[in-house]
Amino acid sequence: MARLIAFFTLCLLSASVASATFTGNPFLVKGKAYCDTCRCGFETPATKYLAGAKVRIECRHRVIEASTYTVEGVTNSKGEYNILVNSDRGDDACDVILVKSPDRTCTKPNAGRDRSRVILTRNNGMISNTRFANAMGFLRDEPLSSCTQILQQYQLTDDQV
């Protein structure tokens, strides 16, 4: 009987420790926002990282497709953002999304580079509470004049971009 009580006590203790770990450790989502100055769809040496760009984390329930969680952030002087997510999002599908560019010459989100999926659950084997989102970009209205030379480094022409 004493072994049974010790076993249940141990189970209860480990469940409470796991529960405290779950709610007490928020996620930190990190990423960058940039202006694609050459309009080529990826970062180049001419890429301008945007200070003051607004981004949003949006989580949706996979079955009912309704937004279940939203939090916004702003990039620092290096175009980097750090957004704290206070809870495990379980099976939700979470994306970091570009919201607004501070640069009037670079306001159009680049389709395919305007969002980044992040996993915000602890039930996936990842140990760290930090999640890294892919860099996301806005397109400049007109490419910089130096872009032709930059694209030659990649052996691309303006027609291929």
Side-chain angles (χ1 to χ4, degrees):
M1 182 66 162
R3 285 184 181 176
L4 187 58
I5 291 172
F7 175 73
F8 282 121
T9 304
L10 183 61
C11 289
L12 185 60
L13 181 61
S14 16
S16 65
V17 168
S19 174
T21 303
F22 242 177
T23 57
N25 293 328
F27 292 103
L28 179 62
V29 178
K30 299 177 127 207
K32 287 185 175 186
Y34 65 89
C35 176
D36 183 351
T37 56
C38 290
R39 297 183 58 89
C40 58
F42 53 87
E43 295 164 272
T44 67
T47 294
K48 175 184 167 188
Y49 293 94
L50 298 170
K54 292 182 183 177
V55 297
R56 176 176 54 235
I57 296 177
E58 198 172 275
C59 298
R60 296 186 169 281
H61 192 276
R62 291 182 191 265
V63 176
I64 57 176
E65 291 294 318
S67 182
T68 59
Y69 182 83
T70 303
V71 62
E72 289 195 358
V74 178
T75 57
N76 64 18
S77 62
K78 296 178 183 177
E80 300 168 339
Y81 59 86
N82 295 298
I83 302 175
L84 205 58
V85 176
N86 289 320
S87 61
D88 190 299
R89 301 311 312 159
D91 287 336
D92 287 357
C94 300
D95 293 304
V96 184
I97 302 167
L98 289 175
V99 176
K100 186 175 181 184
S101 171
D103 185 337
R104 292 181 187 190
T105 65
C106 193
T107 58
K108 182 181 178 189
N110 185 0
R113 297 293 303 243
D114 60 342
R115 64 181 49 232
S116 178
R117 177 69 41 105
V118 289
I119 307 296
L120 297 175
T121 185
R122 288 177 182 78
N123 294 330
N124 61 9
M126 286 190 256
I127 296 171
S128 174
N129 289 338
T130 303
R131 301 296 191 259
F132 296 94
N134 291 332
M136 300 178 297
F138 292 95
L139 293 172
R140 190 169 192 280
D141 297 339
E142 294 293 324
L144 297 175
S145 58
S146 61
C147 289
T148 303
Q149 295 166 329
I150 291 170
L151 295 177
Q152 287 175 349
Q153 294 175 3
Y154 298 103
Q155 297 181 351
L156 295 174
T157 63
D158 291 335
D159 298 337
Q160 294 173 310
V161 178

